[in-house]
């Protein structure tokens, strides 16, 4: 770095981050979830994983001990996150037609990581028997069983799926096992849902092996049972089966009807969707407001001594999130606000931003708060330039990035340009809200599993929070449906829906000399107060990990919020940055 330039010799790779898996925990949970060996009705396919899977795991552990390694992914300075995957697995791109019928074997590392992901999701299965029974006050100690949620059905199915990795137990032993007993105690409708998800997971595994004919037969069963008009589990299976079918058709060269998805791709590509459904979902789903209010409280605290405040919002939507900040600034006594300026970034032709601006001006007037609203329009997010933002030297600048950066992972030059502009603007604080999930693994099977469990939790949330808004649920799910298809059925530059975890973003931000600020007790208190305002807010989990806040739904991480600033290093500018 003697040249005074940020010159990275290796590109940052957002692929392949799965988190840390502990082999001991995996083997323990794999043992816990062994249960009654019940074949799926009419399913004569072989077990999902080889019969010697456990032996393979133990042999792998011995090899790792001999080599002095641990089965944890290493976040090295070179950011080579693909090191644990084979580059010849065929997951990254679709095979050629002449090779489509060949049955490939997965490398053991991919088998192991897929098994571990499912095992991690199945850890809570052993708690379902006790947690899903409640006391009936009218009947003394009689216990009334609660219906399993969508997310719990997926966990049971995942655990049942892992049981097929080791067939050493005879039928009697498996019947005696707690998990087998728990599954046998499920009502018929829930048992059928578990079996349906098991079918889907098996089909995804066959697609990963490129056993397309076998996968197609399994998908036919899923499509016969599942319906987009049925319960959440069936709807999820229907959407994921549809995406798997499209992936098979693309891989085998079959004709795939072109559909009009230009609007969806444009909005996702630029992260600037302002549809009615995306705005309304923020009003009903708790974790959206929790992360927003925690981030805005952090902004308030970081501009506490500023009289002129300028906020750049990279995704304004309705703008309602800023009413709380306006009220807080209007009530200031020690340092009166001379001017609050909000600059919204939008695509050329977006007519909703001026409407949002007018509403914000009206709110500011009601608080008698000096206010100015500006809009910056670009053809593409890649066109953002420093000159577009009129920043005065006496203004304290804050940048708000809600669910925006993930849309640029597939376009490194766009993300690089945005970070370059933000660093040059030098905000006092930059708040980042992102999806807390890994939907960007180069391993198709791993990516499929992560995506399935994430959307299962989301669908469960929608069904819980919008139980009387069937029409809105349908509209929101249609958006998710397109996202699922993009994640599952596409590869390369066409796969524009990507998310990575906070841990990956932290490593990425470190390359830009960004320092995490953290959240005060007041910010966390604000987040908890927001949760309590929702009828089903108790289903949300709020956890502070390091300096970040992770918001989940019934334990499944959904979103993260973090606050950052750029460390100043005068005399150095960006150069030769690549991904």
């Amino acid at each position: 770095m003697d040249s005074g330039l940020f010159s990275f010799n290796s590109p940052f790779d957002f692929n392949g981050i799965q988190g840390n898996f502990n082999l001991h925990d995996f083997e323990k949970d794999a043992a816990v979830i062994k249960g009654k060996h019940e074949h799926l009705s009419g399913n004569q396919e072989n077990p999902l994983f080889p019969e010697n899977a456990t032996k393979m795991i133990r042999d792998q552990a011995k090899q790792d001990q001999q080599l002095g390694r641990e089965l944890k992914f290493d976040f090295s300075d070179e950011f080579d996150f693909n090191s644990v995957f084979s580059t010849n697995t065929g997951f990254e791109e679709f095979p050629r037609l002449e090779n489509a019928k060949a049955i490939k074997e997965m490398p053991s590392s991919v088998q192991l990581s897929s098994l571990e992901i499912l095992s991690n999701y199945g850890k809570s299965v052993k708690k379902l028997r006790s947690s899903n029974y409640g006391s009936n006050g009218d009947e003394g100690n009689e216990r009334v069983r609660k219906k399993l949620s969508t997310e719990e059905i997926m966990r049971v199915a995942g655990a049942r799926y892992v049981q097929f990795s080791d067939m050493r137990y005879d039928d009697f032993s498996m019947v005696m096992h707690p998990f087998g007993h728990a599954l046998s105690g499920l009502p018929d409708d829930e048992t059928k849902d578990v079996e349906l998800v098991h079918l889907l997971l098996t089909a995804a595994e066959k697609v990963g092996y490129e056993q397309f004919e076998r996968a197609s037969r399994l998908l036919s069963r899923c499509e016969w049972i599942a319906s987009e008009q049925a319960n959440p589990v069936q709807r999820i299976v229907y959407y994921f089966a549809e995406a798997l079918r499209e992936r098979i058709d693309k891989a085998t060269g079959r004709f795939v009807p072109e559909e009009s998805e230009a609007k969806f791709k444009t909005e996702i590509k630029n992260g600037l969707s302002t549809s009615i459904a995306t705005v309304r979902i923020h009003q009903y789903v708790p974790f959206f407001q929790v992360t927003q209010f925690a981030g805005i409280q952090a902004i308030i605290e970081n501009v506490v001594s500023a009289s002129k405040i300028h906020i750049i919002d990279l995704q304004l939507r309705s703008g309602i999130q800023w009413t709380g900040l306006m009220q807080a600034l209007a009530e200031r006594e020690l340092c009166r606000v001379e001017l609050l300026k909000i600059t919204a970034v939008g695509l050329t032709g977006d007519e909703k931003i001026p409407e949002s601006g007018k509403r914000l001006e009206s709110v500011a007037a009601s608080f008698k708060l000096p206010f100015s609203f500006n809009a910056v329009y670009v053809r593409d997010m890649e066109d953002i330039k420093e000159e577009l933002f009129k920043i005065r030297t006496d203004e304290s600048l804050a940048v708000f990035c809600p669910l925006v950066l993930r849309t640029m992972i597939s376009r490194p030059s766009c993300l690089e340009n945005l970070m370059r502009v933000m660093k040059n603007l030098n905000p006092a604080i930059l708040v980042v809200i992102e999806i807390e999930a890994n939907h960007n693994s180069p391993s198709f099977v791993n990516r499929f599993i992560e995506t399935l469990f994430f959307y299962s939790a989301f669908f469960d949330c929608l069904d819980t929070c919008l139980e009387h808004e069937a029409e809105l649920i349908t509209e929101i799910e249609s958006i998710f449906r397109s996202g699922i298809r993009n994640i599952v059925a596409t590869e390369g530059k066409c796969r524009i829906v990507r998310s990575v975890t906070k841990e990956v973003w932290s490593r990425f931000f470190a390359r830009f000399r960004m320092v995490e600020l953290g959240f005060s007790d007041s910010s966390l208190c604000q987040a908890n107060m927001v949760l309590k305002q929702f009828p089903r807010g108790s289903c949300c989990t709020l956890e502070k990990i390091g300096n970040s806040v992770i918001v989940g739904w019934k334990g499944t991480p959904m979103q993260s919020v973090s606050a950052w600033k750029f460390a100043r290093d005068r005399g150095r500018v960006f150069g030769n940055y690549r991904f």
Side-chain angles (χ1 to χ4, degrees), residues 370-433:
F371 178 73
S372 172
F373 181 83
N374 298 311
V376 170
Y377 294 101
V378 292
R379 181 184 56 82
D380 188 279
M381 287 295 284
E382 196 169 10
D383 298 332
I384 287 181
K385 300 178 182 178
E386 183 180 352
E387 309 85 68
L388 296 175
F389 303 97
K390 300 175 182 179
I391 312 296
R392 298 182 53 174
T393 56
D394 58 347
E395 293 176 344
S396 182
L397 178 64
V399 178
F400 193 58
C401 304
L403 304 176
V404 174
L405 300 185
R406 69 189 180 99
T407 66
M408 306 179 201
I409 293 176
S410 62
R411 301 191 298 155
S413 61
C414 182
L415 185 55
E416 172 194 351
N417 177 67
L418 178 64
M419 299 308 298
R420 188 201 308 266
V421 171
M422 293 299 107
K423 181 172 178 66
N424 290 338
L425 292 177
N426 189 27
I429 182 174
L430 185 147
V431 173
V432 176
I433 299 174

Side-chain angles (χ1 to χ4, degrees), residues 196-362:
L196 180 60
V197 176
H198 194 146
L199 273 174
L200 180 70
L201 290 169
T202 308
E205 181 74 5
K206 300 309 177 187
V207 172
Y209 276 101
E210 297 180 12
Q211 299 176 10
F212 297 126
E213 291 184 5
R214 300 177 71 182
S216 183
R217 290 198 298 270
L218 290 166
L219 286 178
S220 295
R221 297 173 188 172
C222 292
E223 293 162 346
W224 178 262
I225 300 171
S227 169
E228 59 182 329
Q229 304 296 329
N231 64 43
V233 174
Q234 289 197 30
R235 298 201 302 270
I236 290 169
V237 172
Y238 182 89
Y239 297 145
F240 275 84
E242 177 186 58
L244 283 175
R245 178 72 69 184
E246 182 176 330
R247 185 179 181 91
I248 292 174
D249 289 344
K250 289 180 178 179
T252 55
R254 296 191 182 98
F255 174 74
V256 178
E258 293 290 336
E259 295 185 9
S260 177
E261 296 184 345
K263 182 178 180 181
F264 164 77
K265 290 183 178 181
T266 300
E267 291 179 344
I268 294 297
K269 178 180 178 182
N270 293 282
L272 298 172
S273 175
T274 54
S275 68
I276 299 291
T278 56
V279 171
R280 289 186 67 189
I281 192 175
H282 283 69
Q283 300 173 2
Y284 291 100
V285 177
F287 41 81
F288 284 105
Q289 290 195 31
V290 170
T291 52
Q292 283 182 354
F293 277 89
I296 291 174
Q297 179 64 31
I299 291 177
I300 293 173
E301 294 171 3
N302 276 270
V303 297
V304 66
S305 60
S307 59
K308 294 183 180 179
I309 302 163
H310 190 163
I311 296 173
I312 296 176
D313 192 336
L314 296 180
Q315 192 172 72
L316 182 66
R317 298 188 187 276
S318 66
I320 192 174
Q321 66 270 19
W322 297 117
T323 56
L325 176 135
M326 289 180 172
Q327 182 176 359
L329 295 181
E331 294 174 352
R332 264 194 197 176
E333 295 181 358
L334 295 179
C335 182
R336 303 295 296 179
V337 175
E338 297 179 14
L339 177 65
L340 170 63
K341 182 191 299 183
I342 293 180
T343 297
V345 178
L347 297 180
T348 302
D350 189 343
E351 298 178 355
K352 294 185 175 64
I353 288 182
E355 297 175 4
S356 299
K358 290 180 180 179
R359 285 194 293 269
L360 289 175
E361 289 174 349
S362 176

Side-chain angles (χ1 to χ4, degrees), residues 521-532:
D521 292 339
S522 178
S523 295
L524 297 177
C525 180
Q526 183 75 24
N528 276 304
M529 288 176 60
V530 173
L531 276 182
K532 293 177 181 179

